[in-house]
Amino acid sequence: MSKASQLRQKAQAYLQKGKVDKAIEEYKKLLTVESRNPNLYNELGDIYLRTNDRVQAVSAFEKASLNYEKVALYNNAVAVCKKILRLVPNRLDTIFKLGEIKAKQKLAGEAEVYFLQYFDAVIADPERRGDGVQKQVDDILALVPDCEGICSKASDVYVHLGMKLNAAEMLAGLIAKNSIDGDPQRLNYYRSRLDILRQQLKRDEFDKVEKIMSGGGAEGGQGAAANAAPDQVPARGGIAGSPPTAGEGTVPGESPPAGRAPAISPATPAMGAGAAAETGGVDSAGISLTDYASDLSGRPAAAAAGESRPRGDDIGTQSDSSSGEPRKEEGVEPERAATPSEDLSDLLEEEDAQIESESSIRNFADEITSDVEEDDFRSHYDLGMAYIEMGLYSDAVKELQISARSEQLQLQSLEMVGHCFLAMSNPRLAVKQLERGLEISQTSGGDSMGLHYNLGLAYEALEDMDKAREHYEEVYIVDVTFRDISDKMKKFSTVS
């Protein structure tokens, strides 16, 4: 038995005897052996909670989140961050981290929610004026540069920090963007805010601001027409990504509805099926790797088979829905076409980054599997779930087949094995595993909705629509809100 396994067993024995302090000491020793294993930090945080030591629990959870993030287990990192927020609800660094992770996953809408929450918390705290806040604001603007709601709120934060020029420059950029095909109401709102700041700026400072409004500055966006009268502002056109029109009651001093500014740089891809997997964090008594299971088990077979996990270097482009070609925005100059050598250089850099990322994930996976005992079924299940999130489905199947030997984990393990086979475009093997799980659930009384749903996906992939409909109906009669089951039933209602 390895040293790590011995330490873990010793720690668990202490926990069973109620000797929590001694268990903590064993976990500390264990972390000297497996210092990069986020599961251990997560478990240690839970143990600290048993002693009501929230400070040490939060510290352990932060390390768990950081190590999950390092190996691109973003959903696990998010789940642990949510555990922290349940302990310290308005912890700014954690709220910022949640937005940062969502931005790395290319989930711009969810990132915006967390970043706006972060901004509101900063403004509500008169003591929050340090350099750390300024850096985080700058980082947020770099992560979601084209989000109008973020830019508008950032100007409020700059005012709160006493950075009047930064606030004015931000508003000038918003005015420039809304001066061409923008919303007249929102344009007037930004102008009224800038007029208040104008009186607090020096002449040379406001000259810089006016340059941005006229389209001559870095923040100028689309530029032009900042000083036009409100009734001369062009009517808002159908620019993709533009924020929604403000309500009739919008007046200066009220925040207009947040939205996305006209796209200038390539837009982030839309959130795909299964992308919003986090539903409330990690149970304090369990391992966070299991939180991802419920969403993964319901991903459509076609999507699961062909989609890859979001990566930090994947950037999508907006395209016309009919032609598939990238959509050009009116009034925006197209970027200079890259030369073949530039294209090749960029491609090689991206491939190198991807290889390095995948190598670090594989090394991490090898590290945390090396000391897992054959009969440690819970660890094998958690590893299987981690492999699924990494996209290593064959490895996941091996771990989940071991965990399926446990009566307590058999049902969910078989369901996830079926999911893996769907993701590997092998619906026939998926059916065999899922049918086996369904037989067990019928005798044990376990939850079978995920099994039925995935069987529906598998039979749909096999083009056996009668059986697919049969399993979808089993889900629909129990819970019409389960995943996209309503849409599935509508689709099948049109099939004769």
Side-chain angles (χ1 to χ4, degrees):
M1 183 182 295
S2 67
K3 181 179 179 180
S5 295
Q6 291 175 0
L7 290 170
R8 181 187 283 272
Q9 285 191 5
K10 196 172 181 181
Q12 293 299 321
Y14 279 132
L15 286 175
Q16 290 175 2
K17 296 176 181 178
K19 298 180 179 181
V20 179
D21 291 339
K22 289 186 176 294
I24 289 174
E25 291 305 315
E26 294 304 317
Y27 263 92
K28 288 179 179 178
K29 295 176 185 177
L30 183 54
L31 283 167
T32 64
V33 179
E34 296 185 0
S35 60
R36 292 168 48 196
N37 189 336
N39 292 338
L40 297 180
Y41 289 108
N42 186 34
E43 293 169 14
L44 180 58
D46 290 333
I47 296 171
Y48 274 123
L49 286 181
R50 295 192 187 187
T51 66
N52 292 320
D53 191 341
R54 294 194 171 200
V55 174
Q56 291 296 333
V58 167
S59 176
F61 289 145
E62 280 188 327
K63 292 173 184 175
S65 176
L66 177 64
N67 281 280
Y68 280 132
E69 186 181 0
K70 282 182 179 179
V71 292
L73 292 175
Y74 294 126
N75 291 296
N76 300 86
V78 166
V80 176
C81 283
K82 289 180 178 180
K83 290 177 77 170
I84 295 174
L85 288 182
R86 287 202 293 270
L87 298 172
V88 189
N90 290 315
R91 196 168 190 276
L92 284 182
D93 288 344
T94 304
I95 296 171
F96 171 83
K97 176 57 69 176
L98 280 166
E100 184 181 42
I101 293 172
K102 291 297 184 180
K104 286 182 179 180
Q105 290 181 288
K106 305 301 178 187
L107 304 178
E110 294 182 47
E112 179 184 352
V113 171
Y114 286 115
F115 287 148
L116 289 174
Q117 183 181 350
Y118 172 85
F119 284 156
D120 288 336
V122 169
I123 294 170
D125 186 355
E127 303 301 320
R128 285 284 179 174
R129 299 176 183 273
D131 293 339
V133 173
Q134 179 184 342
K135 182 182 183 305
Q136 288 181 332
V137 173
D138 293 341
D139 289 344
I140 289 171
L141 292 171
L143 287 166
V144 283
D146 298 323
C147 179
E148 185 168 333
I150 290 292
C151 293
S152 177
K153 184 64 72 171
S155 68
D156 291 335
V157 177
Y158 280 136
V159 171
H160 174 76
L161 297 175
M163 304 171 66
K164 304 295 175 59
L165 178 58
N166 296 67
E169 289 177 337
M170 189 63 59
L171 289 170
L174 293 170
I175 290 170
K177 286 181 178 181
N178 279 273
S179 292
I180 296 180
D181 294 335
D183 176 11
Q185 240 179 351
R186 184 172 281 111
L187 181 61
N188 289 337
Y189 168 77
Y190 294 138
R191 283 178 175 161
S192 68
R193 290 173 59 188
L194 185 57
D195 285 342
I196 296 173
L197 287 174
R198 183 197 302 261
Q199 303 169 16
Q200 305 173 46
L201 298 177
K202 298 177 182 177
R203 181 63 217 176
D204 61 327
E205 291 177 332
F206 199 76
D207 287 344
K208 292 174 63 178
V209 172
E210 288 186 324
K211 185 178 180 181
I212 293 172
M213 285 192 292
S214 64
E219 301 289 337
Q222 297 171 355
N227 295 315
D231 58 353
Q232 295 175 326
V233 177
R236 181 183 178 212
I239 296 180
S242 296
T245 303
E248 293 296 324
T250 304
V251 295
E254 295 180 356
S255 296
R260 192 164 283 287
I264 297 172
S265 59
T268 54
M271 179 166 52
E278 302 80 42
T279 58
V282 189
D283 188 283
S284 61
I287 305 281
S288 66
L289 290 169
T290 60
D291 288 340
Y292 200 42
S294 61
D295 186 73
L296 285 169
S297 62
R299 291 164 65 190
E307 99 183 32
S308 60
R309 301 288 307 153
R311 294 186 183 275
D313 55 357
D314 287 344
I315 300 178
T317 54
Q318 288 184 313
S319 61
D320 184 87
S321 59
S322 59
S323 66
E325 294 294 320
R327 182 169 55 214
K328 296 180 180 179
E329 303 294 349
E330 297 178 6
V332 180
E333 289 294 326
E335 295 183 2
R336 177 181 63 83
T339 64
S341 61
E342 288 175 324
D343 283 342
L344 178 59
S345 176
D346 291 343
L347 180 61
L348 291 174
E349 287 181 5
E350 289 177 4
E351 288 181 348
D352 288 342
Q354 181 171 334
I355 290 170
E356 182 178 349
S357 174
E358 291 177 351
S359 176
S360 66
I361 289 173
R362 171 58 69 184
N363 290 339
F364 167 76
D366 291 342
E367 179 179 324
I368 62 177
T369 56
S370 60
D371 293 315
V372 176
E373 298 296 324
E374 184 75 9
D375 59 351
D376 187 355
F377 300 124
R378 168 56 66 178
S379 292
H380 283 289
Y381 179 81
D382 291 331
L383 287 170
M385 298 309 300
Y387 279 135
I388 286 176
E389 190 166 352
M390 296 176 195
L392 305 173
Y393 296 110
S394 295
D395 294 301
V397 168
K398 295 175 184 176
E399 299 298 330
L400 292 166
Q401 285 175 338
I402 295 174
S403 66
R405 299 172 193 168
S406 164
E407 290 184 7
Q408 290 78 15
L409 298 170
Q410 187 176 37
L411 195 59
Q412 62 216 74
S413 297
L414 290 173
E415 181 177 341
M416 296 315 297
V417 170
H419 162 75
C420 290
F421 284 131
L422 282 173
M424 292 188 289
S425 301
N426 198 331
R428 292 189 183 280
L429 288 182
V431 167
K432 291 183 178 180
Q433 294 295 315
L434 295 167
E435 291 284 8
R436 181 183 167 201
L438 197 58
E439 291 177 4
I440 294 171
S441 72
Q442 289 170 349
T443 58
S444 67
D447 183 15
S448 62
M449 281 205 296
L451 292 164
H452 280 297
Y453 182 88
N454 281 314
L455 278 165
L457 295 176
Y459 280 119
E460 193 173 356
L462 292 169
E463 298 184 352
D464 189 336
M465 297 307 174
D466 289 337
K467 287 188 176 180
R469 185 205 301 265
E470 178 183 332
H471 286 288
Y472 286 144
E473 286 176 348
E474 291 294 328
V475 178
Y476 190 77
I477 61 176
V478 175
D479 185 359
V480 297
T481 65
F482 188 87
R483 311 203 192 289
D484 62 342
I485 192 63
S486 293
D487 292 335
K488 290 287 187 185
M489 295 305 297
K490 287 179 183 177
K491 171 186 173 182
F492 276 86
S493 69
T494 62
V495 178
S496 58

